[in-house]
Amino acid sequence: TRFGKASDIPQHFIRQQIRQYGRVDKIEPSLQHGPLLIVRHRPPANILFWSRKTIPIKVNGIDVNANGYSWLESVVSGNEICFIPMVASSTNEHAECRVLLTQPKRTVDVGDALLSLGFAKLTVSVPKSVRNRKDPYEAQLHQYYRSLAQSERYAKDRRNGLWQHNLPPRVWPLSLWPAVWDKLVYSKRLPVLVR
């Protein structure tokens, strides 16, 4: 059946990181939780095809600012996404998920894109790595949060978005390094916002 609220997602879907698919109908602002993606869930076997239920989804681990809300409206709204429930939601108002924008040639992680553009802040602390992590759920959660932290560090190093005025300018020789590196490595790539 279609998910309509966070409690509809079974606990084993969260533990096993089972991918779910849907279409973003709209982006809804929320003062308490930040922008919520209102998603029309598409289950693998849709028995109740007449159901109009939608599930509100928050991108797990980040706090999105106004520029991020605009980015979500222009890039994500109306498109197909894949969402992976990451943690059991403390409230029943929304589900906390990893959101992937699926396009024919590539997949964009929405949380990574927002952080690397400087349109969001990381709200979770990255757990310390344990060498022999036996629980696959904990290992995937650690890998996801580490990826988010790297994206935020990328934005801080380049003073993107909200970090432009929050951090002091870099010293002259150090400020050239990110620009030179980007030109060498990413010369033919378009930024996430334009792609």
Side-chain angles (χ1 to χ4, degrees), residues 22-157:
R23 176 179 285 278
V24 178
D25 282 351
K26 62 180 179 176
I27 311 296
E28 194 172 273
S30 168
L31 291 174
Q32 200 171 25
H33 306 291
L36 298 175
L37 284 67
I38 306 301
V39 177
R40 183 173 310 281
H41 175 233
R42 194 179 68 236
N46 193 7
I47 298 168
L48 304 173
F49 59 87
W50 62 85
S51 176
R52 290 288 192 199
K53 288 197 293 187
T54 56
I55 181 169
I57 292 177
K58 180 185 183 306
V59 180
N60 182 32
I62 63 172
D63 184 25
V64 181
N65 64 14
N67 289 336
Y69 176 79
S70 298
W71 186 86
L72 288 170
E73 276 284 330
S74 62
V75 176
V76 179
S77 185
N79 288 321
E80 293 287 326
I81 63 163
C82 167
F83 61 95
I84 306 166
M86 295 301 283
V87 292
S89 182
S90 56
T91 66
N92 201 19
E93 297 173 17
H94 64 275
E96 299 241 355
C97 302
R98 179 179 188 176
V99 178
L100 304 168
L101 181 62
T102 54
Q103 295 175 342
K105 294 186 179 180
R106 70 178 175 276
T107 301
V108 177
D109 188 318
V110 173
D112 279 337
L114 285 166
L115 284 168
S116 65
L117 290 168
F119 292 164
K121 278 186 181 179
L122 192 63
T123 58
V124 293
S125 59
V126 180
K128 292 183 180 176
S129 63
V130 178
R131 287 182 188 247
N132 297 332
R133 200 176 285 273
K134 302 229 185 239
D135 187 8
Y137 168 71
E138 290 293 330
Q140 287 179 343
L141 201 61
H142 176 264
Q143 182 181 0
Y144 173 63
Y145 289 151
R146 206 173 81 209
S147 169
L148 291 180
Q150 287 173 346
S151 295
E152 186 178 57
R153 198 168 345 163
Y154 175 88
K156 284 181 178 180
D157 286 346

